[in-house]
Amino acid sequence: NFRPLVVALLVGCGVHYTIYANQLGNFDAVHIGALYTADSWPEHLYWETQQGRWALRLVDMLRGGINQPALSALLMLFLYALAGVLLTDLFAVRSRVAKYLIPLTLVCAPYVAEVETYHYCSVSYALSFLLAVLAVRSAVCGVRFVWLMGTVCLAFALGMYQANLGTAAGLCVMLLLAVLCRPGEWQATGLTALRMVLMGGSGAALYMLILKLFLRLYDVGLSGINGINTVGMETLRNLPLGLKNAYFDFYAYFFTHGIAQNHYGQIAGYLLLFVLAALAGLRWLVVLHDRKAAAAAVVLVALLPAAANVTDVINTGATVALRMAGSLAIVVPFAIAVIDAAPALTERAFSWGMALCTAFCAVLLRGFAVQVNNDAAVMLKQKTTVVNLANRLCTRLEENADYQNGAEVVILGEPKRGAYPEESPLKPMAGELAQFGPLSFDPTFNAHGWYVLVWDELGVQLNECADETVRAISNSDAFKAMPNYPADGCIQTIDGVVTLKVADFPF
């Protein structure tokens, strides 16, 4: 498996090059800056633990809190490539081509690029994905009590990013389907399912226990963001809505532009690959000639969207699309494994099946690579605009007498809402985060984003004012009456703070 690992890593480095080479990050990454350890945000201590992600701090401490995009990208891609290689083992693929395709389709997936733009936690999210795969691996290895190791893996996977519960649950359903292909192995299937349930239940319980300990230690409560603090209370009552969301998101991810953008032939690639996998599955059922196994397989396939999007079922208040969870990204590797495992009439028929699978995966990989670089081009255009503007803003600030005397400074507004509305023609085909831009529309986060950009990109450290002051200035009549940069009067001193207005806020 060493060669597939290296090939996936090298190809991934090529596909993602524009992102890490130009240090591109989304607005959260811009706000965080180049040095940050989870739970140490001065404005909101223990913020990550309040979102249930108590393990992020442990990983950040291991890397000293340094958020360099190139290093983060290399570590992240290595972890995803390693997880892809583990998937080939779990699915027990026979074809040498399939052993290369599975890690490749995982590492090059656009959702991985989206994770990469969170360079301050991309390594943690990738490690969370890998631990979720290892947790399931422990449950299917067949060795007594090894599933207890999976309990620890799953607890830490959820402690970094809870959405990888869907990765573990979806993978469990896929592997149960694989066990069913062995004639008469009902006892083995039952034992495997039991170990999966024990591992999943104990892992989730251990995660919650550690979370409760950290919340008690920090003397904080769960955040209300995306309904995290209501999980468990409303789940049963909203179960029909949660199931509806899970199945719709499964469809939307693969066959619309709503979650993954899919503008470069990905929908055709998914459709062709899934049709081929369905035919391979039907061939397997015909050869197996077991009605019980066929019925069980149909049920498991029907449950797969709900398992992969189990966070939709648990938390109907979530508004963040499930792109970073990774659960839907392993559907393609599973489809490849199904095609690989199908009983063939002849060796030639098997070769033709894998040839078609390779061709359809080539369509997908081409679409993945172009989509990732489409998003990267949009983000690079946005960053270039903001950095060039920031350079001119600093020159203008240095002419201000109050600035020269050491007064506090605040820059407010997004260039696209001011005098620089020009955007990349590729933006309509970019992902949601790429379209959003590097600066928030919220005054507090917007101002801090400017501080970080000016310091990280230009080496100019502005005298930052408090969040409360920023919000008061942005809501003041004096600020609203100011013209946008570069008009005269775009720099004024409000309540002792040198204020530079780039644009009004939309809300």
Side-chain angles (χ1 to χ4, degrees):
N1 286 335
F2 178 73
R3 289 181 180 177
L5 174 68
V6 173
V7 168
L9 182 58
L10 291 177
V11 172
C13 286
V15 170
H16 296 260
Y17 175 80
T18 305
I19 298 177
Y20 61 80
N22 293 285
Q23 303 191 47
L24 302 177
N26 58 57
F27 65 98
D28 276 345
V30 169
H31 181 269
I32 291 297
L35 182 64
Y36 177 75
T37 300
D39 283 330
S40 63
W41 180 20
E43 290 83 1
H44 202 142
L45 284 173
Y46 313 123
W47 175 240
E48 283 79 9
T49 295
Q50 286 188 273
Q51 296 181 73
R53 301 170 195 169
W54 46 264
L56 287 180
R57 187 173 192 175
L58 303 178
V59 178
D60 284 357
M61 290 170 66
L62 287 175
R63 60 194 181 103
I66 297 176
N67 304 315
Q68 286 303 309
L71 178 60
S72 296
L74 179 62
L75 293 173
M76 180 201 74
L77 292 172
F78 171 75
L79 292 172
Y80 277 117
L82 183 58
V85 168
L86 288 174
L87 287 176
T88 65
D89 283 345
L90 282 171
F91 292 139
V93 295
R94 300 170 293 173
S95 167
R96 179 179 297 179
V97 175
K99 291 181 179 180
Y100 282 88
L101 289 176
I102 287 176
L104 272 175
T105 52
L106 178 62
V107 169
C108 296
Y111 106 91
V112 172
E114 186 154 323
V115 172
E116 185 180 356
T117 63
Y118 290 87
H119 54 73
Y120 63 97
C121 61
S122 59
V123 177
S124 300
Y125 284 5
L127 181 58
S128 172
F129 180 90
L130 175 62
L131 288 174
V133 174
L134 286 172
V136 178
R137 184 185 177 91
S138 73
V140 299
C141 71
V143 180
R144 184 177 294 183
F145 299 123
V146 172
W147 60 268
L148 289 171
M149 296 175 60
T151 295
V152 178
C153 287
L154 185 61
F156 276 84
L158 301 182
M160 294 173 204
Y161 194 58
Q162 304 96 311
N164 277 311
L165 178 63
T167 302
L171 189 54
C172 283
V173 171
M174 296 172 189
L175 292 176
L176 284 176
L177 280 164
V179 175
L180 280 176
C181 72
R182 305 169 194 161
E185 292 288 337
W186 284 100
Q187 184 177 3
T189 303
L191 289 174
T192 300
L194 177 60
R195 288 194 297 268
M196 287 176 175
V197 171
L198 289 173
M199 181 275 295
S202 59
L206 179 60
Y207 159 74
M208 287 300 300
L209 176 62
I210 298 175
L211 174 60
K212 295 292 185 183
L213 291 174
F214 274 109
L215 291 174
R216 178 71 63 87
L217 177 65
Y218 298 152
D219 193 25
V220 294
L222 281 176
S223 166
I225 186 171
N226 295 319
I228 294 172
N229 59 340
T230 62
V231 170
M233 300 171 58
E234 302 289 333
T235 300
L236 290 177
R237 191 164 66 106
N238 293 328
L239 187 60
L241 176 60
L243 289 171
K244 175 185 174 183
N245 292 343
Y247 283 90
F248 176 79
D249 279 352
F250 189 89
Y251 163 77
Y253 182 89
F254 294 108
F255 300 114
T256 73
H257 304 303
I259 297 181
Q261 292 305 296
N262 298 328
H263 283 289
Y264 294 99
Q266 295 98 305
I267 293 177
Y270 286 134
L271 184 61
L272 292 169
L273 187 67
F274 292 168
V275 168
L276 185 60
L279 293 174
L282 288 173
R283 172 64 185 163
W284 165 67
L285 290 176
V286 169
V287 171
L288 189 61
H289 199 63
D290 186 331
R291 291 183 178 180
K292 290 182 179 179
V298 170
V299 171
L300 288 172
V301 170
L303 288 175
L304 181 56
N309 286 329
V310 67
T311 50
D312 267 355
V313 179
I314 294 174
N315 183 13
T316 55
T319 57
V320 178
L322 300 182
R323 282 169 283 187
M324 294 191 305
S327 57
L328 299 179
I330 59 175
V331 173
V332 169
F334 175 63
I336 297 171
V338 170
I339 297 167
D340 173 83
L345 293 172
T346 63
E347 186 65 30
R348 184 174 181 180
F350 176 78
S351 299
W352 269 104
M354 287 311 302
L356 287 173
C357 176
T358 303
F360 300 157
C361 285
V363 173
L364 273 178
L365 288 169
R366 176 261 179 189
F368 287 170
V370 178
Q371 187 69 61
V372 168
N373 282 273
N374 178 102
D375 290 12
V378 172
M379 297 181 74
L380 181 58
K381 169 66 172 61
Q382 293 167 336
K383 179 180 178 180
T384 302
T385 299
V386 173
V387 172
N388 288 340
L389 176 59
N391 196 16
R392 296 195 296 275
L393 295 180
C394 288
T395 301
R396 192 80 168 261
L397 279 171
E398 289 169 354
E399 299 171 354
N400 183 274
D402 291 332
Y403 174 85
Q404 295 172 9
N405 290 328
E408 293 181 336
V409 179
V410 63
I411 303 174
L412 289 168
E414 298 175 86
K416 64 184 179 183
R417 300 186 188 279
Y420 301 90
E422 298 82 7
E423 295 177 326
S424 170
L426 297 174
K427 181 179 177 181
M429 295 177 289
E432 182 180 354
L433 283 175
Q435 290 192 21
F436 191 94
L439 293 167
S440 174
F441 56 75
D442 177 85
T444 300
F445 291 97
N446 179 271
H448 190 71
W450 278 111
Y451 289 127
V452 173
L453 274 167
V454 169
W455 170 244
D456 286 350
E457 299 294 333
L458 304 178
V460 176
Q461 189 164 16
L462 302 176
N463 188 6
E464 185 173 357
C465 61
D467 286 352
E468 295 79 8
T469 304
V470 171
R471 198 162 292 278
I473 290 174
S474 66
N475 290 326
S476 68
D477 292 335
F479 174 79
K480 294 175 182 178
M482 289 172 60
N484 296 339
Y485 178 88
D488 291 337
C490 66
I491 300 180
Q492 296 182 21
T493 301
I494 302 176
D495 295 333
V497 178
V498 178
T499 304
L500 198 162
K501 182 177 179 180
V502 175
D504 287 303
F505 290 100
F507 307 108

